[in-house]
């Protein structure tokens, strides 16, 4: 079998080729460093700190807003108001 060089993968965000020396691996795909941005607010993200529910990438804030822990924030602290 002849050796075929693997073509550079395409960035899932912008669709352009990502060369090996600039790629960041995330979700088993190769991304441009600059393309790892929150889908909610477009902020640049540290690949190590990405929240990636359902294939999306989100910063901490947008992640909580969109996928916030359900049932949290209700019914806590209410009830006993001393003072
Ligand atoms: Zn890109
Ligand atoms: Zn965000």
């Amino acid at each position: 079998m002849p050796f075929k060089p693997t073509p550079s993968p395409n960035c899932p965000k912008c669709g352009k080729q990502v060369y090996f020396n600039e790629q960041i691996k995330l979700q088993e795909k190769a991304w441009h460093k600059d393309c790892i941005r929150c889908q909610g607010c477009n902020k640049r993200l540290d690949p190590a700190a990405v929240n990636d529910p359902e294939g999306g990438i989100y910063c901490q804030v947008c992640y909580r807003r969109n996928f916030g822990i359900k049932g949290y924030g209700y019914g806590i602290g209410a009830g006993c108001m001393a003072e």
Side-chain angles (χ1 to χ4, degrees), residues 11 13-14 32 35:
C11 170
K13 173 84 176 177
C14 68
H32 295 113
C35 285

Side-chain angles (χ1 to χ4, degrees), residues 7-63:
S8 299
N10 290 343
C11 170
K13 173 84 176 177
C14 68
K16 294 191 190 122
Q17 280 199 339
V18 189
Y19 296 105
F20 187 77
N21 62 353
E22 60 181 0
Q23 67 177 238
I24 306 275
K25 285 277 187 185
L26 184 68
Q27 301 172 344
E28 320 214 325
K29 293 181 190 118
W31 300 66
H32 295 113
K33 205 166 146 215
D34 280 356
C35 285
I36 299 182
R37 287 171 185 269
C38 172
Q39 290 189 350
C41 64
N42 214 31
K43 194 173 80 177
R44 280 259 301 266
L45 296 177
D46 178 349
V50 161
N51 294 284
D52 53 357
E54 297 163 14
I57 57 175
Y58 294 91
C59 71
Q60 204 62 249
V61 176
C62 294
Y63 176 72

